Amino acid sequence: AVIASISTPVGPVVAASAGGIGEVVDDGLTGFVHDPGDAESMAASIGRLIADPDLRLRMGADAAKRGSRFDRDRMVRAVPR
């Protein structure tokens, strides 16, 4: 779901640092990454994005650019055979 979100004009991602999230979301550039279970910090990031449309748009644009790296066809071609 993170790759789908970051690859569309939906906007930046606020997520917990689990699995490969750190590879997809560039903290502070394409979204915000927080420790798992830190709901207070995640809520603060969501509030920040709601309150600052310019930040939301800038991060969303950066997220869409970064998300293009995770195109399904591109990822399939990158797998060694």
Side-chain angles (χ1 to χ4, degrees), residues 23-80:
E23 294 177 42
V24 179
V25 181
D26 189 348
D27 188 37
L29 182 65
T30 63
F32 296 107
V33 180
H34 300 279
D35 291 331
D38 190 353
E40 188 174 310
S41 179
M42 291 180 83
S45 290
I46 293 168
R48 184 174 170 199
L49 290 169
I50 290 170
D52 188 343
D54 291 335
L55 175 66
R56 187 171 60 245
L57 290 172
R58 185 173 59 252
M59 290 179 91
D62 289 339
K65 287 178 201 167
R66 184 173 178 87
S68 68
R69 293 178 32 202
F70 298 96
D71 172 73
R72 182 191 68 205
D73 294 332
R74 185 175 181 182
M75 291 176 70
V76 168
R77 287 191 306 271
V79 173

Side-chain angles (χ1 to χ4, degrees), residues 6-21:
I6 205 170
S7 300
T8 64
V10 170
V13 174
V14 177
S17 178
I21 298 297

